[in-house]
Amino acid sequence: MQRLGQRVMADLRRFLYARLLAQPPAFFERRHSGELLSRFTADVPLVEFSVAQALSSYIKDGLQILALLVTCALIDAKLFLFTFVVMPATVVPVARFARSLKKVALRSQTSLGALTSLTAEQLQNLPVVQAYGGVPRALSRFDEEAGRYFGEMRRSLFLRGAFSPTVEMLGIAGVALVVMWGARAVSAEPALAGRLLSFVAASLLLYQPVKSLSGTFSQVLTGLVAAERLFALADEPAPPDEGREAEPLKQALVLEGLRATYLDGREGLRGVDLTVPAGARVALVGASGAGKTTLFSILLGFLPSSGGEVRWDGVPLRELKPSSVRAQMAWVSQEPMLFSGTVRHNLLLGRPGASDAELWEALTLAHARDFVSTLPAGLDEPVGERGSRLSGGQRQRPDTQACPGCGTQGHDLDARFCKRCGTALDWKGP
Ligand SMILES: Nc1ncnc2c1ncn2[C@@H]1O[C@H](COP(=O)(O)OP(=O)(O)OP(=O)(O)O)[C@@H](O)[C@H]1O
Ligand SMILES: [Mg+2]
């Protein structure tokens, strides 16, 4: 059962991660990555416990309880009916406990998410926090959030602690009723004594499985809340990667009255007309906030257009498979984005399978050959988290290699198309 639980959880983790990887940037604008991470680190293990541990105990204890109830009914049906009419009475307090516990579990899990988000953000921006004397403020915000989490956990532990004794009390009340009723019945009909004894013995045997079931019940409820949070993530619609395959551009990329509206209603583009013939080198120049990045977000399928049309050799962009359009583009993000592997690892993202000679050629084009060759391990030098072991300018250079064959430079341009393959670059020079 535990192996099965582990397998289910591994599949769930993978499914959720695949879901996240398919989400457009707008999805992450509404959420904090720390909060999403807490679902993987905290919620998945809670569900894991419910599935792996509690489920097996539920089956074992549930079967025992069922068998003992049948035994009691067979011993004396009347006594059984009388005694176990108290059972429905237990449903009310149990349901109330369950509701409160679920509420507290949801609040504590949300609070843990907020705590993770806060910590991740402060640590990521630690140089700024330290430079501006923000450490005491960071610590007091942490204390505030941690205090909230601690309070929720205390409430949750109190409820869990109170749950088992309540169920046990109800059980004892049931047995006491049997004894009372039985004693009266036996005084009227002494032959019943033997059956009463067997009945009480069978009812007492119920104690252990009921106790163990109620012990894991609260954990199962917490697991259920965690599962709800995970399923909410799984239910997020991800844009499907479907449509016709985009071929390399042969004629032109045409934008007709292209509009873009962000989730908050702000307009990124208000009717752009532009024709880019295949192979042409076109620079998009405009004031900050003019909409250059927005335009590339639409071309890359990160943002849906809210009006107008983009035609790729005459075919509307929305009819093309987004991943096949992306495969025709080389995009250099305005903000340098490096992964915490080596220089090679980062370069290969642009063209998996490129040879060392091609990588050095790409580095030459990006004016990065000199500094990479001075690194102790050259191409195999780790760049640190988000390129933290490189200088600000150096960080941008391996990044520009998303289009290694392009060769176009021009540090004064913000956005342009690659002449060689008609691909789009949205590039901020160092
Ligand atoms: N995620 C977003 N949510 C809401 N509005 C946005 C978002 N991103 C951009 N905008 C708004 O859309 C407009 C166009 O932004 P965009 O990023 O395309 O400008 P840009 O031309 O690339 O500017 P820059 O040269 O500064 O990079 C701006 O008014 C901006 O505030
Ligand atoms: Mg921009």
Side-chain angles (χ1 to χ4, degrees):
M1 184 60 82
Q2 290 199 6
R3 279 250 301 275
L4 175 71
Q6 291 291 340
R7 184 77 254 149
V8 170
M9 284 305 111
D11 289 349
L12 178 63
R13 248 192 210 113
R14 193 184 180 283
F15 172 74
L16 288 173
Y17 191 50
R19 259 295 149 105
L20 282 183
L21 288 179
Q23 293 298 336
F27 173 85
F28 298 94
E29 282 168 22
R30 288 180 281 131
R31 289 171 186 80
H32 201 289
S33 55
E35 196 273 325
L36 292 171
L37 277 182
S38 85
R39 302 205 187 194
F40 279 85
T41 51
D43 291 348
V44 172
L46 286 173
V47 181
E48 200 165 333
F49 178 83
S50 294
V51 175
Q53 308 269 328
L55 204 63
S56 58
S57 124
Y58 261 50
I59 294 175
K60 192 176 84 209
D61 296 328
L63 283 176
Q64 266 190 46
I65 291 173
L66 195 71
L68 287 166
L69 287 177
V70 171
T71 312
C72 286
L74 289 176
I75 294 171
D76 192 317
K78 234 165 58 191
L79 206 54
F80 172 81
L81 278 178
F82 173 73
T83 315
F84 293 100
V85 284
V86 294
M87 281 194 105
T90 63
V91 170
V92 178
V94 169
R96 272 190 118 178
F97 259 121
R99 248 201 329 269
S100 318
L101 201 64
K102 274 178 95 173
K103 263 194 217 150
V104 171
L106 182 64
R107 281 206 301 264
S108 64
Q109 278 149 245
T110 311
S111 174
L112 184 62
L115 194 63
T116 316
S117 299
L118 179 78
T119 325
E121 191 169 71
Q122 303 280 15
L123 289 180
Q124 265 173 17
N125 298 315
L126 194 57
V128 179
V129 174
Q130 289 175 340
Y132 286 88
V135 172
R137 242 176 308 151
L139 214 51
S140 89
R141 280 191 62 198
F142 179 86
D143 287 343
E144 209 177 290
E145 203 53 65
R148 210 167 294 149
Y149 176 61
F150 183 61
E152 296 299 350
M153 280 312 282
R154 239 185 9 207
R155 264 188 285 279
S156 161
L157 287 175
F158 171 76
L159 278 172
R160 281 191 212 183
F163 185 69
S164 271
T166 310
V167 173
E168 284 172 34
M169 286 281 290
L170 289 167
I172 291 167
V175 174
L177 269 174
V178 175
V179 174
M180 264 167 57
W181 166 275
R184 285 174 70 191
V186 168
S187 65
E189 192 188 337
L192 265 180
R195 261 196 286 165
L196 177 68
L197 206 64
S198 326
F199 192 93
V200 172
S203 325
L204 286 176
L205 280 178
L206 275 171
Y207 176 78
Q208 197 49 44
V210 166
K211 184 170 184 279
S212 125
L213 209 63
S214 63
T216 41
F217 185 63
S218 51
Q219 275 146 334
V220 170
L221 279 181
T222 317
L224 274 179
V225 172
E228 275 169 27
R229 273 163 55 86
L230 293 178
F231 289 136
L233 204 62
D235 287 344
E236 284 290 339
D241 191 28
E242 292 166 0
R244 291 162 61 181
E245 290 285 325
E247 299 290 329
L249 196 71
K250 291 188 192 68
Q251 296 147 27
L253 182 69
V254 179
L255 277 57
E256 297 165 349
L258 189 64
R259 305 185 77 90
T261 312
Y262 283 99
L263 284 177
D264 60 5
R266 267 190 286 167
E267 284 193 301
L269 295 174
R270 285 190 211 106
V272 175
D273 295 300
L274 176 71
T275 298
V276 183
R281 184 187 295 197
V282 176
L284 277 182
V285 186
S288 191
K292 304 175 292 293
T293 299
T294 305
L295 195 150
F296 286 94
S297 296
I298 293 180
L299 292 181
L300 287 159
F302 294 157
L303 182 72
S305 60
S306 55
E309 193 78 89
V310 178
R311 291 184 193 278
W312 183 276
D313 278 344
V315 184
L317 195 68
R318 64 195 139 73
E319 287 178 19
L320 295 172
K321 190 175 174 186
S323 62
S324 72
V325 177
R326 285 173 195 157
Q328 305 295 332
M329 304 231 190
W331 175 58
V332 180
S333 146
Q334 190 170 341
E335 279 133 39
M337 287 181 196
L338 288 179
F339 292 88
S340 51
T342 59
V343 175
R344 182 197 305 280
H345 168 81
N346 277 282
L347 291 176
L348 288 178
L349 276 176
R351 189 191 283 173
S355 67
D356 273 18
E358 286 172 312
L359 297 185
W360 281 113
E361 190 193 330
L363 286 168
T364 308
L365 289 170
H367 301 290
R369 187 187 190 104
D370 286 353
F371 90 79
V372 173
S373 54
T374 62
L375 295 172
L379 284 174
D380 294 313
E381 183 75 11
V383 298
E385 189 180 350
R386 290 178 297 143
S388 58
R389 291 172 62 180
L390 301 179
S391 80
Q394 288 173 345
R395 232 170 273 165
Q396 298 186 353
R397 294 183 184 270
D399 200 20
T400 58
Q401 290 315 297
C403 183
C406 142
T408 46
Q409 274 128 45
H411 293 191
D412 51 344
L413 297 181
D414 187 347
R416 59 214 168 114
F417 280 88
C418 167
K419 184 187 173 196
R420 187 171 162 238
C421 35
T423 47
L425 295 181
D426 182 8
W427 187 73
K428 192 108 182 169

